[in-house]
PDB file of all heavy atoms in Angstrom:
ATOM      1  N   GLY A  19      88.278  66.621  48.699  1.00  0.00           N
ATOM      2  CA  GLY A  19      88.545  65.681  49.793  1.00  0.00           C
ATOM      3  C   GLY A  19      90.078  65.444  50.024  1.00  0.00           C
ATOM      4  O   GLY A  19      90.910  65.935  49.194  1.00  0.00           O
ATOM      5  N   ALA A  26     103.786  60.279  54.412  1.00  0.00           N
ATOM      6  CA  ALA A  26     103.879  61.603  55.112  1.00  0.00           C
ATOM      7  C   ALA A  26     103.265  62.795  54.348  1.00  0.00           C
ATOM      8  O   ALA A  26     103.448  63.907  54.750  1.00  0.00           O
ATOM      9  CB  ALA A  26     105.202  61.890  55.638  1.00  0.00           C
ATOM     10  N   ASP A  49      87.199  44.825  39.145  1.00  0.00           N
ATOM     11  CA  ASP A  49      85.821  44.156  39.154  1.00  0.00           C
ATOM     12  C   ASP A  49      84.726  45.003  39.867  1.00  0.00           C
ATOM     13  O   ASP A  49      83.546  44.656  39.604  1.00  0.00           O
ATOM     14  CB  ASP A  49      85.852  42.867  39.915  1.00  0.00           C
ATOM     15  CG  ASP A  49      86.703  41.808  39.174  1.00  0.00           C
ATOM     16  OD1 ASP A  49      87.066  41.983  37.980  1.00  0.00           O
ATOM     17  OD2 ASP A  49      87.105  40.720  39.735  1.00  0.00           O
ATOM     18  N   LEU A  61      75.641  61.598  50.509  1.00  0.00           N
ATOM     19  CA  LEU A  61      75.617  62.336  51.701  1.00  0.00           C
ATOM     20  C   LEU A  61      76.446  63.624  51.651  1.00  0.00           C
ATOM     21  O   LEU A  61      77.500  63.671  51.060  1.00  0.00           O
ATOM     22  CB  LEU A  61      76.280  61.531  52.911  1.00  0.00           C
ATOM     23  CG  LEU A  61      75.554  60.265  53.462  1.00  0.00           C
ATOM     24  CD1 LEU A  61      76.393  59.775  54.657  1.00  0.00           C
ATOM     25  CD2 LEU A  61      74.183  60.581  53.926  1.00  0.00           C
ATOM     26  N   VAL A  76      99.108  56.603  55.687  1.00  0.00           N
ATOM     27  CA  VAL A  76      99.882  57.831  55.433  1.00  0.00           C
ATOM     28  C   VAL A  76     101.373  57.726  55.770  1.00  0.00           C
ATOM     29  O   VAL A  76     102.202  58.402  55.150  1.00  0.00           O
ATOM     30  CB  VAL A  76      99.189  59.029  56.216  1.00  0.00           C
ATOM     31  CG1 VAL A  76     100.002  60.303  56.103  1.00  0.00           C
ATOM     32  CG2 VAL A  76      97.827  59.226  55.637  1.00  0.00           C
ATOM     33  N   ALA A  82      98.854  51.276  49.984  1.00  0.00           N
ATOM     34  CA  ALA A  82      97.845  52.201  49.377  1.00  0.00           C
ATOM     35  C   ALA A  82      98.461  52.991  48.184  1.00  0.00           C
ATOM     36  O   ALA A  82      99.560  53.421  48.225  1.00  0.00           O
ATOM     37  CB  ALA A  82      97.525  53.177  50.484  1.00  0.00           C
ATOM     38  N   LEU A  88      90.860  59.433  51.270  1.00  0.00           N
ATOM     39  CA  LEU A  88      90.873  58.861  52.590  1.00  0.00           C
ATOM     40  C   LEU A  88      89.538  59.068  53.314  1.00  0.00           C
ATOM     41  O   LEU A  88      88.729  59.845  52.996  1.00  0.00           O
ATOM     42  CB  LEU A  88      92.021  59.473  53.452  1.00  0.00           C
ATOM     43  CG  LEU A  88      93.417  59.262  53.002  1.00  0.00           C
ATOM     44  CD1 LEU A  88      94.395  60.156  53.618  1.00  0.00           C
ATOM     45  CD2 LEU A  88      93.867  57.788  52.969  1.00  0.00           C
ATOM     46  N   GLY A 152      88.393  47.196  48.210  1.00  0.00           N
ATOM     47  CA  GLY A 152      87.432  47.215  47.116  1.00  0.00           C
ATOM     48  C   GLY A 152      87.462  48.516  46.361  1.00  0.00           C
ATOM     49  O   GLY A 152      86.913  48.629  45.199  1.00  0.00           O
ATOM     50  N   GLY A 153      87.878  49.619  46.949  1.00  0.00           N
ATOM     51  CA  GLY A 153      87.980  50.862  46.250  1.00  0.00           C
ATOM     52  C   GLY A 153      86.829  51.866  46.486  1.00  0.00           C
ATOM     53  O   GLY A 153      86.648  52.733  45.763  1.00  0.00           O
ATOM     54  N   TRP A 154      86.014  51.585  47.494  1.00  0.00           N
ATOM     55  CA  TRP A 154      84.913  52.581  47.744  1.00  0.00           C
ATOM     56  C   TRP A 154      85.466  53.886  48.223  1.00  0.00           C
ATOM     57  O   TRP A 154      86.344  53.896  49.221  1.00  0.00           O
ATOM     58  CB  TRP A 154      83.988  51.950  48.864  1.00  0.00           C
ATOM     59  CG  TRP A 154      83.375  50.690  48.450  1.00  0.00           C
ATOM     60  CD1 TRP A 154      83.849  49.326  48.651  1.00  0.00           C
ATOM     61  CD2 TRP A 154      82.147  50.502  47.646  1.00  0.00           C
ATOM     62  NE1 TRP A 154      83.111  48.420  48.061  1.00  0.00           N
ATOM     63  CE2 TRP A 154      81.947  49.065  47.440  1.00  0.00           C
ATOM     64  CE3 TRP A 154      81.228  51.323  47.155  1.00  0.00           C
ATOM     65  CZ2 TRP A 154      80.858  48.544  46.738  1.00  0.00           C
ATOM     66  CZ3 TRP A 154      80.107  50.817  46.426  1.00  0.00           C
ATOM     67  CH2 TRP A 154      79.993  49.432  46.260  1.00  0.00           C
ATOM     68  N   GLY A 156      86.563  57.295  49.829  1.00  0.00           N
ATOM     69  CA  GLY A 156      86.550  57.656  51.235  1.00  0.00           C
ATOM     70  C   GLY A 156      85.790  58.965  51.432  1.00  0.00           C
ATOM     71  O   GLY A 156      85.317  59.688  50.445  1.00  0.00           O
ATOM     72  N   ARG A 173      70.089  56.005  61.158  1.00  0.00           N
ATOM     73  CA  ARG A 173      69.494  57.337  61.163  1.00  0.00           C
ATOM     74  C   ARG A 173      69.265  57.821  62.595  1.00  0.00           C
ATOM     75  O   ARG A 173      68.763  57.055  63.422  1.00  0.00           O
ATOM     76  CB  ARG A 173      68.150  57.229  60.439  1.00  0.00           C
ATOM     77  CG  ARG A 173      67.363  58.411  60.419  1.00  0.00           C
ATOM     78  CD  ARG A 173      66.145  58.398  59.475  1.00  0.00           C
ATOM     79  NE  ARG A 173      65.321  57.145  59.747  1.00  0.00           N
ATOM     80  CZ  ARG A 173      64.476  56.640  58.943  1.00  0.00           C
ATOM     81  NH1 ARG A 173      64.132  57.352  57.814  1.00  0.00           N
ATOM     82  NH2 ARG A 173      63.753  55.650  59.280  1.00  0.00           N
ATOM     83  N   LEU A 185      79.503  65.703  68.188  1.00  0.00           N
ATOM     84  CA  LEU A 185      80.878  65.300  68.388  1.00  0.00           C
ATOM     85  C   LEU A 185      80.948  63.953  69.136  1.00  0.00           C
ATOM     86  O   LEU A 185      81.859  63.260  69.058  1.00  0.00           O
ATOM     87  CB  LEU A 185      81.646  66.377  69.298  1.00  0.00           C
ATOM     88  CG  LEU A 185      82.052  67.667  68.545  1.00  0.00           C
ATOM     89  CD1 LEU A 185      82.834  68.517  69.517  1.00  0.00           C
ATOM     90  CD2 LEU A 185      82.851  67.277  67.345  1.00  0.00           C
ATOM     91  N   PHE A 252      89.409  60.484  82.861  1.00  0.00           N
ATOM     92  CA  PHE A 252      88.103  59.894  83.185  1.00  0.00           C
ATOM     93  C   PHE A 252      88.184  58.608  83.941  1.00  0.00           C
ATOM     94  O   PHE A 252      87.343  57.761  83.878  1.00  0.00           O
ATOM     95  CB  PHE A 252      87.370  59.666  81.793  1.00  0.00           C
ATOM     96  CG  PHE A 252      88.012  58.758  80.744  1.00  0.00           C
ATOM     97  CD1 PHE A 252      87.810  57.435  80.684  1.00  0.00           C
ATOM     98  CD2 PHE A 252      88.895  59.358  79.893  1.00  0.00           C
ATOM     99  CE1 PHE A 252      88.344  56.624  79.799  1.00  0.00           C
ATOM    100  CE2 PHE A 252      89.510  58.497  78.868  1.00  0.00           C
ATOM    101  CZ  PHE A 252      89.239  57.194  78.864  1.00  0.00           C
ATOM    102  N   ILE A 257      99.709  53.000  83.008  1.00  0.00           N
ATOM    103  CA  ILE A 257     101.127  52.505  82.976  1.00  0.00           C
ATOM    104  C   ILE A 257     101.945  52.936  81.835  1.00  0.00           C
ATOM    105  O   ILE A 257     101.483  52.878  80.629  1.00  0.00           O
ATOM    106  CB  ILE A 257     101.133  50.906  82.934  1.00  0.00           C
ATOM    107  CG1 ILE A 257     100.264  50.337  84.101  1.00  0.00           C
ATOM    108  CG2 ILE A 257     102.498  50.391  82.831  1.00  0.00           C
ATOM    109  CD1 ILE A 257     100.142  48.786  84.014  1.00  0.00           C
ATOM    110  N   VAL A 277      95.154  40.297  84.795  1.00  0.00           N
ATOM    111  CA  VAL A 277      93.884  40.878  84.714  1.00  0.00           C
ATOM    112  C   VAL A 277      92.887  39.864  84.071  1.00  0.00           C
ATOM    113  O   VAL A 277      93.319  38.786  83.523  1.00  0.00           O
ATOM    114  CB  VAL A 277      93.843  42.175  83.792  1.00  0.00           C
ATOM    115  CG1 VAL A 277      94.590  43.293  84.404  1.00  0.00           C
ATOM    116  CG2 VAL A 277      94.405  41.787  82.358  1.00  0.00           C
ATOM    117  N   LEU A 304     100.845  41.668  71.762  1.00  0.00           N
ATOM    118  CA  LEU A 304     100.177  40.434  71.721  1.00  0.00           C
ATOM    119  C   LEU A 304     100.776  39.395  72.671  1.00  0.00           C
ATOM    120  O   LEU A 304     100.121  38.795  73.492  1.00  0.00           O
ATOM    121  CB  LEU A 304     100.065  39.799  70.377  1.00  0.00           C
ATOM    122  CG  LEU A 304      99.189  40.531  69.390  1.00  0.00           C
ATOM    123  CD1 LEU A 304      99.306  39.955  67.968  1.00  0.00           C
ATOM    124  CD2 LEU A 304      97.692  40.449  69.781  1.00  0.00           C
ATOM    125  N   GLY A 329     107.085  48.782  55.272  1.00  0.00           N
ATOM    126  CA  GLY A 329     107.994  49.212  56.279  1.00  0.00           C
ATOM    127  C   GLY A 329     108.248  48.249  57.487  1.00  0.00           C
ATOM    128  O   GLY A 329     108.792  48.613  58.475  1.00  0.00           O
ATOM    129  N   LYS A 336     106.853  42.053  56.962  1.00  0.00           N
ATOM    130  CA  LYS A 336     106.342  42.636  55.773  1.00  0.00           C
ATOM    131  C   LYS A 336     105.159  41.998  55.271  1.00  0.00           C
ATOM    132  O   LYS A 336     104.473  42.538  54.419  1.00  0.00           O
ATOM    133  CB  LYS A 336     107.496  42.811  54.766  1.00  0.00           C
ATOM    134  CG  LYS A 336     108.546  43.805  55.223  1.00  0.00           C
ATOM    135  CD  LYS A 336     109.646  43.905  54.130  1.00  0.00           C
ATOM    136  CE  LYS A 336     110.755  44.931  54.574  1.00  0.00           C
ATOM    137  NZ  LYS A 336     111.806  45.061  53.612  1.00  0.00           N
ATOM    138  N   PRO A 412      83.692  69.567  57.108  1.00  0.00           N
ATOM    139  CA  PRO A 412      83.911  70.148  55.740  1.00  0.00           C
ATOM    140  C   PRO A 412      82.959  71.238  55.381  1.00  0.00           C
ATOM    141  O   PRO A 412      83.391  72.141  54.582  1.00  0.00           O
ATOM    142  CB  PRO A 412      83.554  68.848  54.866  1.00  0.00           C
ATOM    143  CG  PRO A 412      83.662  67.670  55.772  1.00  0.00           C
ATOM    144  CD  PRO A 412      83.284  68.197  57.085  1.00  0.00           C
TER     145      PRO A 412
END
Side-chain angles (χ1 to χ4, degrees):
D49 292 345
L61 289 185
V76 172
L88 300 169
W154 299 91
R173 178 171 50 194
L185 285 184
F252 57 93
I257 297 175
V277 292
L304 291 172
K336 289 179 181 179

